[in-house]
Amino acid sequence: MGVPGPFPGSPGRPDAPVLDREEVDRALARLGAEYEAIETSLLALQDHAGRRLLEGAELAGTTKERWAAAERSITVLWSLFDAYTAALEEARELRERRRWPSVEDLAELTELLHGEGVTVPGAAAADGGPEGGPARIAERFSLEGLVERMNALYARSLDVIVAADAVWSALPARIDLLSAELQRTRSLAHSVGVRPGEHPAGDDLERITEELLRLRERVIADPLAFWVSSSTGSSAPGGGRPDTARYDRAARALEDIRREVAAVLDVRQDAERRLMQLRDVLSRADRTLTEARQARGEVLAKIAASEVPAVSGPSTALHEQLAAAADYRRRAQWHRLSPLLDSLEERAEDELHRARESLTAVTAPLAVRAELRGRLDAYRAKVARHGMAEDPLLTERYDLARRMLWSAPCDLRAAEQAVWRYQQAAAEALVPQQLEGRGES
């Protein structure tokens, strides 16, 4: 059945001439088909699943008001159909009196078929008609006018039924599925310590649970409050869609919590490995700091006139937090362990880097001494290859530099000067041999 109505309209020609016999028969045949279409539509409306749900539900709000109006419209609709049926039966009986109707019969049939000869009680006529004005005891309609009035009542009633049925078909089942998923997420969250009052996500789960309960109750009691009419201007009954905004917000919030719980689960699975890695990093940092302190003592004993930076001890705060992380793991407080591990991993790497830099800074004088020793020996070997190892000046300067570098405490500045003087003497001694070598070549 389409709208403007499910019922085909009568021709409606109030000023038309009297119909002849064939025109009357064609009109009655058309009205008979029209009658069957109207009856089929009304019975379908009566048996609509949405109508039965509305009749049995405890409604509230917008739906309660609109369904009360729709029930009145349906009652009026049947009253108008009864009047339509009676008028059609009257016309059929009049036509069946004679095979060849008289002029008076044809005039009366024309009036029945096209005139305003159907009387309807005022209460029935007013429903769906224009508002305002005094109530009428009765109103007269043509058959076409009755069909138009029935179409309006039918469309208005069907719109309420179809919209409510669409919301009930769409939302409660989806809410139930989301609620089931919520319960699974709550159980999983509880197992990893995400509980109300202990973790924000636990509080969010409680809020979503309450929201879904309220939403389902509201949808069941007032489905039309969750109906968005079509913006295209369609006149079809039920033109629009269910409003899922509140449901969608709850679904998105639950998905966020599921991801957070999944992250906590990952923490639980990797917690021991990450704790072991943290202990290893902090242990290496502590050993490096210990080595730096020992090296500092060695430098102070072996290197004279050198500024050696102080070495701090292990980070007490990091070790305390590592102990707290281990305690969180023992008590299965994964939601607290997760952010603590993230912070500790970054800070432990920083601590190891700081310890290595401290060791490098402390041992720098020893590295300088080692470099000077290596340079002195390299020049000594070069001089020996040229047969000048016994040169008195070179031997004297080598012995002086060596005593400075291998004595404690070592004056690095004086030792560096001694090595430089040995280099210079070696370079000067090697020049004649290099020139002689070029001449021979």
Side-chain angles (χ1 to χ4, degrees), residues 287-326:
R287 289 196 303 271
T288 302
L289 288 173
T290 299
E291 184 180 352
R293 286 193 297 274
Q294 292 173 349
R296 185 174 188 273
E298 180 182 354
V299 169
L300 291 174
K302 294 180 177 181
I303 307 297
S306 179
E307 294 182 0
V308 184
V311 179
S312 65
S315 173
T316 304
L318 284 178
H319 283 277
E320 289 176 351
Q321 290 179 349
L322 181 61

CSV table of all heavy atoms in Angstrom, one decimal, residues 287-326:
chain,number,residue,atom,x,y,z
A,287,ARG,N,77.2,-1.9,38.6
A,287,ARG,CA,78.6,-2.4,38.4
A,287,ARG,C,79.4,-1.4,37.8
A,287,ARG,O,80.6,-1.2,38.1
A,287,ARG,CB,78.5,-3.7,37.6
A,287,ARG,CG,78.0,-4.9,38.3
A,287,ARG,CD,78.3,-6.2,37.6
A,287,ARG,NE,77.9,-6.2,36.2
A,287,ARG,CZ,76.7,-6.7,35.8
A,287,ARG,NH1,75.8,-7.1,36.7
A,287,ARG,NH2,76.4,-6.7,34.6
A,288,THR,N,78.8,-0.6,36.8
A,288,THR,CA,79.6,0.4,36.1
A,288,THR,C,80.0,1.5,37.1
A,288,THR,O,81.1,2.0,37.0
A,288,THR,CB,78.8,0.9,34.9
A,288,THR,OG1,78.5,-0.1,34.0
A,288,THR,CG2,79.6,2.0,34.1
A,289,LEU,N,79.0,1.9,37.9
A,289,LEU,CA,79.3,2.9,38.9
A,289,LEU,C,80.4,2.5,39.9
A,289,LEU,O,81.3,3.2,40.3
A,289,LEU,CB,78.0,3.3,39.6
A,289,LEU,CG,77.0,4.2,38.8
A,289,LEU,CD1,75.7,4.3,39.6
A,289,LEU,CD2,77.6,5.5,38.5
A,290,THR,N,80.3,1.2,40.3
A,290,THR,CA,81.3,0.6,41.2
A,290,THR,C,82.7,0.7,40.5
A,290,THR,O,83.7,1.0,41.1
A,290,THR,CB,81.0,-0.8,41.6
A,290,THR,OG1,79.7,-0.8,42.2
A,290,THR,CG2,82.0,-1.4,42.5
A,291,GLU,N,82.7,0.3,39.3
A,291,GLU,CA,84.0,0.3,38.5
A,291,GLU,C,84.5,1.8,38.4
A,291,GLU,O,85.7,2.0,38.5
A,291,GLU,CB,83.7,-0.3,37.1
A,291,GLU,CG,85.0,-0.3,36.3
A,291,GLU,CD,84.7,-1.0,34.9
A,291,GLU,OE1,83.6,-1.4,34.7
A,291,GLU,OE2,85.6,-0.9,34.0
A,292,ALA,N,83.6,2.7,38.2
A,292,ALA,CA,84.0,4.1,38.1
A,292,ALA,C,84.5,4.6,39.4
A,292,ALA,O,85.6,5.4,39.4
A,292,ALA,CB,82.8,5.0,37.7
A,293,ARG,N,84.0,4.2,40.5
A,293,ARG,CA,84.5,4.6,41.9
A,293,ARG,C,85.9,4.0,42.1
A,293,ARG,O,86.8,4.7,42.6
A,293,ARG,CB,83.5,4.2,43.0
A,293,ARG,CG,82.3,5.1,43.1
A,293,ARG,CD,81.5,4.8,44.3
A,293,ARG,NE,81.0,3.4,44.4
A,293,ARG,CZ,79.9,3.0,43.9
A,293,ARG,NH1,79.1,3.9,43.3
A,293,ARG,NH2,79.5,1.8,44.0
A,294,GLN,N,86.0,2.7,41.7
A,294,GLN,CA,87.4,2.1,41.8
A,294,GLN,C,88.4,2.8,40.9
A,294,GLN,O,89.5,3.0,41.3
A,294,GLN,CB,87.3,0.6,41.5
A,294,GLN,CG,86.4,-0.2,42.5
A,294,GLN,CD,86.2,-1.6,42.1
A,294,GLN,OE1,86.5,-1.9,40.9
A,294,GLN,NE2,85.7,-2.4,43.0
A,295,ALA,N,87.9,3.1,39.7
A,295,ALA,CA,88.8,3.8,38.8
A,295,ALA,C,89.2,5.1,39.3
A,295,ALA,O,90.4,5.6,39.1
A,295,ALA,CB,88.2,3.9,37.4
A,296,ARG,N,88.3,5.8,39.9
A,296,ARG,CA,88.6,7.1,40.4
A,296,ARG,C,89.7,7.1,41.5
A,296,ARG,O,90.7,7.9,41.5
A,296,ARG,CB,87.4,7.8,41.0
A,296,ARG,CG,87.6,9.2,41.5
A,296,ARG,CD,86.2,9.8,41.9
A,296,ARG,NE,86.4,11.3,42.2
A,296,ARG,CZ,86.8,11.8,43.3
A,296,ARG,NH1,87.1,11.0,44.4
A,296,ARG,NH2,86.9,13.1,43.5
A,297,GLY,N,89.6,6.1,42.3
A,297,GLY,CA,90.7,5.9,43.4
A,297,GLY,C,92.0,5.6,42.7
A,297,GLY,O,93.1,6.1,43.1
A,298,GLU,N,92.0,4.8,41.6
A,298,GLU,CA,93.2,4.5,40.9
A,298,GLU,C,93.8,5.7,40.3
A,298,GLU,O,95.0,6.0,40.3
A,298,GLU,CB,93.0,3.4,39.9
A,298,GLU,CG,94.2,3.0,39.1
A,298,GLU,CD,93.9,1.9,38.0
A,298,GLU,OE1,92.7,1.5,38.0
A,298,GLU,OE2,94.7,1.6,37.2
A,299,VAL,N,92.9,6.5,39.7
A,299,VAL,CA,93.4,7.7,39.0
A,299,VAL,C,94.0,8.7,40.0
A,299,VAL,O,95.1,9.3,39.8
A,299,VAL,CB,92.2,8.4,38.2
A,299,VAL,CG1,92.6,9.8,37.7
A,299,VAL,CG2,91.8,7.5,37.0
A,300,LEU,N,93.3,8.9,41.1
A,300,LEU,CA,93.8,9.8,42.1
A,300,LEU,C,95.2,9.3,42.7
A,300,LEU,O,96.0,10.1,43.0
A,300,LEU,CB,92.8,9.9,43.3
A,300,LEU,CG,91.5,10.6,43.0
A,300,LEU,CD1,90.6,10.5,44.2
A,300,LEU,CD2,91.8,12.1,42.6
A,301,ALA,N,95.4,8.0,42.7
A,301,ALA,CA,96.7,7.4,43.2
A,301,ALA,C,97.8,7.5,42.1
A,301,ALA,O,98.9,7.7,42.4
A,301,ALA,CB,96.5,6.0,43.6
A,302,LYS,N,97.4,7.4,40.8
A,302,LYS,CA,98.4,7.2,39.8
A,302,LYS,C,98.6,8.5,38.9
A,302,LYS,O,99.7,8.6,38.3
A,302,LYS,CB,98.0,6.1,38.8
A,302,LYS,CG,98.0,4.7,39.5
A,302,LYS,CD,97.6,3.6,38.5
A,302,LYS,CE,97.7,2.3,39.2
A,302,LYS,NZ,97.4,1.2,38.2
A,303,ILE,N,97.7,9.4,39.0
A,303,ILE,CA,97.8,10.6,38.1
A,303,ILE,C,97.9,11.8,39.0
A,303,ILE,O,97.0,12.0,39.9
A,303,ILE,CB,96.6,10.7,37.1
A,303,ILE,CG1,96.4,9.4,36.3
A,303,ILE,CG2,96.8,11.9,36.2
A,303,ILE,CD1,97.6,9.1,35.4
A,304,ALA,N,98.9,12.6,38.9
A,304,ALA,CA,99.1,13.8,39.7
A,304,ALA,C,98.5,15.0,39.0
A,304,ALA,O,98.4,15.1,37.8
A,304,ALA,CB,100.6,14.0,39.9
A,305,ALA,N,98.1,16.0,39.8
A,305,ALA,CA,97.6,17.3,39.3
A,305,ALA,C,96.5,17.1,38.3
A,305,ALA,O,96.5,17.7,37.2
A,305,ALA,CB,98.7,18.1,38.7
A,306,SER,N,95.5,16.2,38.5
A,306,SER,CA,94.4,16.0,37.6
A,306,SER,C,93.1,16.1,38.4
A,306,SER,O,92.9,15.5,39.5
A,306,SER,CB,94.5,14.6,37.0
A,306,SER,OG,93.4,14.4,36.1
A,307,GLU,N,92.1,16.8,37.8
A,307,GLU,CA,90.8,16.9,38.4
A,307,GLU,C,89.9,15.7,38.0
A,307,GLU,O,89.6,15.6,36.8
A,307,GLU,CB,90.1,18.2,37.9
A,307,GLU,CG,90.8,19.5,38.4
A,307,GLU,CD,90.1,20.7,38.0
A,307,GLU,OE1,89.1,20.6,37.3
A,307,GLU,OE2,90.6,21.8,38.3
A,308,VAL,N,89.5,14.9,38.9
A,308,VAL,CA,88.7,13.8,38.7
A,308,VAL,C,87.3,14.0,39.2
A,308,VAL,O,87.2,14.2,40.4
A,308,VAL,CB,89.4,12.5,39.3
A,308,VAL,CG1,88.6,11.3,38.9
A,308,VAL,CG2,90.8,12.4,38.9
A,309,PRO,N,86.3,13.8,38.4
A,309,PRO,CA,84.9,14.1,38.9
A,309,PRO,C,84.5,13.0,39.9
A,309,PRO,O,84.9,11.9,39.9
A,309,PRO,CB,84.0,14.0,37.6
A,309,PRO,CG,84.8,13.2,36.6
A,309,PRO,CD,86.3,13.5,36.9
A,310,ALA,N,83.6,13.5,40.8
A,310,ALA,CA,83.1,12.5,41.8
A,310,ALA,C,82.1,11.5,41.1
A,310,ALA,O,81.5,11.8,40.1
A,310,ALA,CB,82.4,13.3,42.9
A,311,VAL,N,81.9,10.4,41.7
A,311,VAL,CA,81.0,9.3,41.2
A,311,VAL,C,79.9,9.1,42.2
A,311,VAL,O,80.2,8.8,43.4
A,311,VAL,CB,81.8,8.0,41.0
A,311,VAL,CG1,80.9,7.0,40.5
A,311,VAL,CG2,83.0,8.3,40.0
A,312,SER,N,78.7,9.2,41.8
A,312,SER,CA,77.5,9.0,42.7
A,312,SER,C,77.3,7.6,42.9
A,312,SER,O,77.8,6.7,42.1
A,312,SER,CB,76.3,9.7,42.1
A,312,SER,OG,75.9,9.1,40.9
A,313,GLY,N,76.5,7.3,43.9
A,313,GLY,CA,76.1,5.9,44.1
A,313,GLY,C,74.9,5.4,43.3
A,313,GLY,O,74.4,6.2,42.5
A,314,PRO,N,74.5,4.2,43.5
A,314,PRO,CA,73.3,3.7,42.7
A,314,PRO,C,72.1,4.5,43.1
A,314,PRO,O,71.9,5.1,44.2
A,314,PRO,CB,73.2,2.2,43.2
A,314,PRO,CG,74.5,1.9,43.8
A,314,PRO,CD,75.1,3.2,44.3
A,315,SER,N,71.1,4.5,42.2
A,315,SER,CA,69.9,5.3,42.4
A,315,SER,C,68.9,4.5,43.3
A,315,SER,O,68.4,3.5,43.0
A,315,SER,CB,69.1,5.5,41.0
A,315,SER,OG,67.9,6.1,41.3
A,316,THR,N,68.8,5.1,44.5
A,316,THR,CA,67.9,4.4,45.5
A,316,THR,C,66.5,4.4,45.0
A,316,THR,O,65.8,3.4,45.2
A,316,THR,CB,68.1,5.2,46.9
A,316,THR,OG1,69.4,5.2,47.3
A,316,THR,CG2,67.2,4.5,47.9
A,317,ALA,N,66.1,5.5,44.4
A,317,ALA,CA,64.7,5.6,44.0
A,317,ALA,C,64.3,4.5,43.0
A,317,ALA,O,63.3,3.9,43.0
A,317,ALA,CB,64.4,7.0,43.4
A,318,LEU,N,65.2,4.3,42.0
A,318,LEU,CA,65.0,3.3,41.0
A,318,LEU,C,64.9,1.9,41.6
A,318,LEU,O,64.0,1.1,41.2
A,318,LEU,CB,66.1,3.3,39.9
A,318,LEU,CG,66.0,4.4,38.9
A,318,LEU,CD1,67.2,4.4,37.9
A,318,LEU,CD2,64.7,4.4,38.1
A,319,HIS,N,65.7,1.6,42.5
A,319,HIS,CA,65.7,0.3,43.2
A,319,HIS,C,64.4,0.1,44.0
A,319,HIS,O,63.8,-1.0,44.1
A,319,HIS,CB,66.9,0.0,44.1
A,319,HIS,CG,68.1,-0.3,43.3
A,319,HIS,ND1,68.4,-1.6,42.8
A,319,HIS,CD2,69.2,0.5,42.8
A,319,HIS,CE1,69.6,-1.6,42.2
A,319,HIS,NE2,70.0,-0.3,42.1
A,320,GLU,N,64.0,1.2,44.7
A,320,GLU,CA,62.7,1.1,45.4
A,320,GLU,C,61.5,0.9,44.5
A,320,GLU,O,60.6,0.1,44.8
A,320,GLU,CB,62.5,2.4,46.2
A,320,GLU,CG,63.5,2.6,47.4
A,320,GLU,CD,63.3,3.9,48.1
A,320,GLU,OE1,62.6,4.8,47.5
A,320,GLU,OE2,63.9,4.1,49.1
A,321,GLN,N,61.5,1.6,43.3
A,321,GLN,CA,60.5,1.4,42.4
A,321,GLN,C,60.5,0.0,41.7
A,321,GLN,O,59.4,-0.6,41.4
A,321,GLN,CB,60.5,2.5,41.3
A,321,GLN,CG,60.2,3.8,41.8
A,321,GLN,CD,60.3,4.9,40.7
A,321,GLN,OE1,60.8,4.7,39.7
A,321,GLN,NE2,59.8,6.1,41.1
A,322,LEU,N,61.7,-0.5,41.5
A,322,LEU,CA,61.8,-1.9,41.0
A,322,LEU,C,61.2,-2.9,42.0
A,322,LEU,O,60.5,-3.8,41.6
A,322,LEU,CB,63.3,-2.2,40.7
A,322,LEU,CG,63.5,-3.6,40.2
A,322,LEU,CD1,62.8,-3.8,38.8
A,322,LEU,CD2,65.0,-3.9,40.0
A,323,ALA,N,61.5,-2.7,43.3
A,323,ALA,CA,60.9,-3.5,44.3
A,323,ALA,C,59.3,-3.4,44.3
A,323,ALA,O,58.6,-4.4,44.5
A,323,ALA,CB,61.4,-3.2,45.7
A,324,ALA,N,58.8,-2.1,44.1
A,324,ALA,CA,57.4,-1.9,44.1
A,324,ALA,C,56.8,-2.7,42.9
A,324,ALA,O,55.7,-3.2,43.0
A,324,ALA,CB,57.1,-0.4,44.0
A,325,ALA,N,57.5,-2.6,41.8
A,325,ALA,CA,57.0,-3.3,40.6
A,325,ALA,C,56.9,-4.8,40.8
A,325,ALA,O,56.0,-5.5,40.4
A,325,ALA,CB,57.9,-3.0,39.4
A,326,ALA,N,57.9,-5.4,41.5
A,326,ALA,CA,57.9,-6.8,41.8
A,326,ALA,C,56.7,-7.1,42.7
A,326,ALA,O,56.1,-8.2,42.6
A,326,ALA,CB,59.2,-7.2,42.4
